[in-house]
Amino acid sequence: MVPTGAYGTWPSPIDASLAATHDGRPEHVGFVGDEVWWTEPRPAEGGRRTLVRRHADGTEEPVLPAPWNVRSRVVEYGGRPWDGAVRDTGPIVVFSHFADQRLYAYEPDGDAQPVPLTPVSGVGGGLRWVDPVVHPERGEVWCVLEEFTGERPGDVRRVVAAVPLDGSAAGDRAAVRELTDGRHRFVTGPRLSPDGRHAVWLAWDHPHMPWDGTVVMTGEVAKDGPFTGVRAVAGGSGEAVCQADWAADGSLLYVSDTGGWWEPYRIRPGSATAACLCTGRAEEFGGPLWKIGQRWFHPLGNGLIAVIHGKGATALGILDPDTGELVDAAGPWTEWAPTLAVHGSRVVGVAASPRSAYEVVELDTGTGRARVIGSAHDDPVDPAYYPEPQIRTFTGPDNREIHAHIYPPHNPDRTPPDAELPPYVVWAHGGPTGHAPLVLDLEIAYFTSRGIGVAEVNYGGSTGYGRAYRERLREQWGVVDVEDCAAVAEALAAEGTADPARLAIRGASAGGWTAAVSLATTELYSCGTIVYPVLDLDGWSEETHDFESRYLESLIGPPGEVPARYRERSPLTLAEHITAPFLLMQGLDDVVCPPAQTERFLARMAGRGVPHAYIAFAGEGHGFRRAESTVRAQEAELALYAEVFGVDRGDVPPLELRT
C-alpha cells in the first residue's frame, strides 16, 4: 500500500545535484565529413561546453578537454560557435573559445593543440566571432565579427568577415578581410550559393529586435575584397526573417513572418518574386533569432528541405518545395531545438519530449527512420518519477487564449491526503519573446516529485503561436504577461487543482521581471522567486548590452513618448506594494541584467518588514552554468516554498529570510 504524505513533503530520488548535472543540452550539431559533431554542457567542469565527436562506427568522444570552452559571446547570447570541414590532410575544426573569444583551428587527428586564428581582444571586450563556416577551398573561415571600439556597451560594430586559416591574422588584425561595410548594426553569418558566386545573410538595426524586422541581404563574392552589388532582396520593417540559405538549384530560401506566421519562401534563380512554400497551415517554421546561426531549416541536395515546424510543440519534417507536401519524422519528440545539419540523406537535430531530455537525433530520409545517436546525460532516474504534463488553454482578460503546460504533483511512492489541495508555482519564461517547451526538465521534476505542482505559462508575447499572439505584449510588458500568469493561477485554484492559499510565482530574466511585477501588483501569490531580473526600466537600457538596449521601445514604448510608463511599471518603483516573501538570486558577472538592478531594488526593500533572501553568485552571468550554483539555487527555492507553505523538509538547508 502506498503511504499517504502531505503535498510538499514527499521524498524524491531527484535531488538538486542530479538536476544540476542534467542542466543544459546538446547544441549546434554539424557534420565534419560523415561524422556528427555537437557541443555539450559540462556543469561539473565550471559550466564549460565541449565538442563531442561521433565517429562513423558510432563511438563518441569529447574532443576538447578543460579548460577549452566552445562558446561565443557575440551579442552576449552567442550562437553557433564552431564549424568543421575535411581537407586533404584530414578534418579541421574552427571554434570560438569563451575565455578569450578568439577563433582557434584544431586538427583532431593530429597531436597539436588548437592554434589561434584571430588576434587577442583589445579595448572594451575587443574582438568576438560567431557563426563560422569553414571554406577550405578558399583557405578561409567566414563568420560574424563583433568589434568593440570603446568602453560603453554601445561602442560596437558588426560585420561579415573572412579569417585566414593559415593563422596569419592571429597577430595581425589587418589580415582579417571584412566582407560587408558595417552599414547594419547586426548581421548573421553568410551562406555561400552552390556556384560560389553569391552570399546571403540577414541584417537589422536598432530599434528593431530580429523578431520585429530584418532584411535578407545578398552580395556577389569578390576574390579579395568585400562583397559587391550588395542589396536587400526581402524583409524590412514589420517583417521578421529568421533564416536564409540557398537550395541546391541556386534558389534563395528564407523564413518570414510576413503572412502572420514564420513560413518558408523561395525566390527562384532569375526571379525577383518570392513564393510561400507551405501555405494555410497556421503554424511556425521559424522562431526568435536569439543566437546567431540558429537553423529552422536545412536544404538537402535532392531539392527537399528539412524543416522544424509546429504550433506550440514542434516536429521535424521533410518539405517538398514544389508540391508543398510535408512528411514528419516519426517519434516521441515534441520540441526540436533550432539546429540542423545535413549530409546526403541524413538529417541531424536536437529534440526532446515530456519523457526525454534533449538528445541528438538522426533521421534517414531514405528510410524515414529516426533514432537517437547522442545525449548529453545518462539518465539514472526511474521515469515513474517524471511529471505527467497537461497541455491546457485558459481564458484570460478580454477572452484571450492563454497557452500553458500544467505539471501536477506526481510521485509513485506517496498518495496525498484526500482533503488537501497541492501548492503550485507559476513559471514565467524568459525572453520575454520566447516560450516554455513541452519537454522533460528535471528542475520541474524536482518540485513535482516532492508534491509541488508547476504551471508553465506561455503568456501573450510568447513565440510558437503566430505573430499576432507574439504582438500581444507590444507596449504591454508588465501588464499582459502578469495578467495571463494570474489568470492561469486563478483558474487552477477555481477548478480545485491548486490550493489558492499556496500559490507562488517564479521566473528568470524577463520571467524574473514578470514575477517581481506580479508580487507588486497582485495579492494572488504567497511568495515568489526572482532570478537575474529586470527591475528598473529607466536604468536598464543604459546598463544592459547593445543587443537588447532598445528592446524596451517595443515592450514598453518609446521612452521619449511615454517616460512615465517606464517608472510606473518598474518593480523598483512598485517596491512599496510588495508584501509577500521572496527569494532574489543574481549572477555577479551578468551583463544582460546587471547586479546594479538588484542592488537598487534591495536598497528600496530594506527595512520594510518584507521577509526576503538574496543570494549572489560570483563567477556566474546571465544563466547559472556551474553545478554548485544550480544546486544552491534550487535548494534555496525549495526552502522558500517549504517555509512559506508550511512544509517540513529536512533535505535542504533552511533559508534565512530577512526583513
Side-chain angles (χ1 to χ4, degrees), residues 134-221:
V134 178
H135 293 287
E137 74 286 357
R138 298 174 180 272
E140 294 176 325
V141 53
W142 290 7
C143 57
V144 174
L145 161 61
E146 181 179 73
E147 183 172 22
F148 287 85
T149 57
E151 297 295 338
R152 298 179 305 171
D155 296 334
V156 61
R157 61 190 293 269
R158 299 176 186 89
V159 295
V160 175
V163 177
L165 282 171
D166 62 10
S168 58
D172 182 10
R173 167 66 176 81
V176 175
R177 186 162 60 99
E178 296 191 7
L179 302 178
T180 59
D181 57 11
R183 72 180 71 175
H184 293 291
R185 187 76 168 193
F186 303 97
V187 293
T188 63
R191 300 295 179 255
L192 189 62
S193 62
D195 62 9
R197 296 172 54 195
H198 298 87
V200 63
W201 65 99
L202 303 181
W204 67 98
D205 290 289
H206 286 317
H208 295 308
M209 297 300 290
W211 42 86
D212 296 324
T214 56
V215 289
V216 180
M217 306 295 296
T218 62
E220 298 174 12
V221 177

Side-chain angles (χ1 to χ4, degrees), residues 576-587:
E576 64 184 33
H577 300 290
I578 296 177
T579 58
F582 64 87
L583 166 64
L584 178 58
M585 295 185 281
Q586 175 72 49

Side-chain angles (χ1 to χ4, degrees), residues 242 255 262-263 283-288 296 308-310 463-464:
C242 60
V255 172
W262 270 304
E263 295 171 315
E283 59 181 23
E284 306 277 38
F285 286 76
W296 290 268
I308 295 171
H309 70 103
T463 57

Side-chain angles (χ1 to χ4, degrees), residues 552-568:
L552 297 182
E553 294 189 29
S554 61
L555 294 175
I556 304 297
E561 298 177 15
V562 289
R565 192 182 293 169
Y566 280 66
R567 294 186 294 274
E568 291 165 357

Side-chain angles (χ1 to χ4, degrees), residues 79-115:
R80 181 175 171 82
W82 78 277
D83 190 46
V86 177
R87 303 189 293 187
D88 292 340
T89 56
I92 181 174
V93 171
V94 172
F95 67 94
S96 171
H97 177 44
F98 183 76
D100 60 13
Q101 287 300 292
R102 301 174 82 183
L103 283 182
Y104 286 80
Y106 179 53
E107 296 182 351
D109 291 344
D111 297 326
Q113 290 293 304
V115 296

Side-chain angles (χ1 to χ4, degrees), residues 202-204 208-216 233-242 254-263 265 267 274 467 470-471 474:
L202 303 181
W204 67 98
H208 295 308
M209 297 300 290
W211 42 86
D212 296 324
T214 56
V215 289
V216 180
V233 298
S237 180
E239 178 181 354
V241 177
C242 60
Y254 63 93
V255 172
S256 168
D257 71 347
T258 186
W261 299 82
W262 270 304
E263 295 171 315
Y265 288 79
I267 302 176
R467 182 154 189 153
R470 200 167 79 237
E471 292 285 340
R474 183 165 291 276

